[in-house]
Amino acid sequence: MSKFLIVSDIHGDRDVLETVFNHWQKDVDAVFYNGDSELQADDSVFEGVSTVIGNMDSDLDFVDARVTTIKGITFFQTHGHLYDARAFDAWANLLLMNQAASEAGASVVLFGHTHLDGVVYFDDKLYINPGSITIPKGEHAMYGGTYAVLTVSDDAYKIDFYKRNHQHLAELTKTFKR
Ligand SMILES: [Mn+2]
């Protein structure tokens, strides 16, 4: 069993990022931040955190995308703007991210950019957008911001979403066979 914290699009709210990281740090195998922090890449809050660049980030030390394998799971992580994630009038356009993730041999794709939380299984890959903690959009905006935790067991993926005060949103939990 392994567990991963996934956060995106805090747009300058460093305090909430630090609070969420501190809350989960000892319980997860890795922490992913999917871009648009508007902080510096070498900010101490990102110590030990896997980061990528967002369209609102000015520090070019952030990378465009990242392929990481942890506990046998290969992740493709990117913000989304470089892969046209917003091209469709829907949750997200996965096509360009999917090409890159296939080339990388990834089984889990992590992105942000749309500020719409959600998870889908597409082309043998799990796509997770944790939403934005500070500027939520869409039908779940009423929650006041979300982040996600992925739990991987031998035969399943489970994705839980939480509000910025760490309150579990049980109605959003989804599980998929792997
Ligand atoms: Mn954003």
Side-chain angles (χ1 to χ4, degrees), residues 27-77:
D27 298 323
V28 294
D29 296 286
V31 178
F32 293 94
Y33 182 79
N34 299 347
D36 270 5
S37 64
E38 303 182 28
L39 303 174
Q40 297 297 300
D42 65 357
D43 192 298
S44 61
V45 79
F46 289 133
E47 209 177 300
V49 174
S50 178
T51 60
V52 289
I53 199 165
N55 54 300
M56 297 296 286
D57 292 317
S58 53
D59 187 347
L60 299 178
D61 283 344
F62 283 115
V63 298
D64 290 350
R66 211 183 268 280
V67 179
T68 318
T69 301
I70 304 166
K71 293 208 164 182
I73 304 151
T74 299
F75 295 87
F76 179 79
Q77 180 194 16

Side-chain angles (χ1 to χ4, degrees), residues 82-166:
L82 299 171
Y83 295 86
D84 216 10
R86 240 182 209 160
F88 293 165
D89 184 19
W91 180 56
N93 168 30
L94 306 181
L95 298 179
L96 295 184
M97 285 192 289
N98 191 55
Q99 275 177 19
S102 292
E103 283 165 20
S107 52
V108 179
V109 180
L110 307 174
F111 70 105
H113 189 47
T114 64
H115 294 213
L116 300 172
D117 62 278
V119 52
V120 299
Y121 202 79
F122 172 70
D123 194 29
D124 294 327
K125 300 171 202 73
L126 188 68
Y127 284 80
I128 303 171
N129 186 330
S132 166
I133 304 188
T134 51
I135 312 171
K137 294 179 182 170
E139 59 174 331
H140 295 156
M142 61 188 178
Y143 294 129
T146 55
Y147 63 87
V149 174
L150 167 66
T151 306
V152 185
S153 58
D154 287 344
D155 57 0
Y157 295 112
K158 181 162 85 78
I159 303 90
D160 291 290
F161 291 89
Y162 295 83
K163 291 168 71 165
R164 57 185 283 145
N165 64 358
H166 321 301

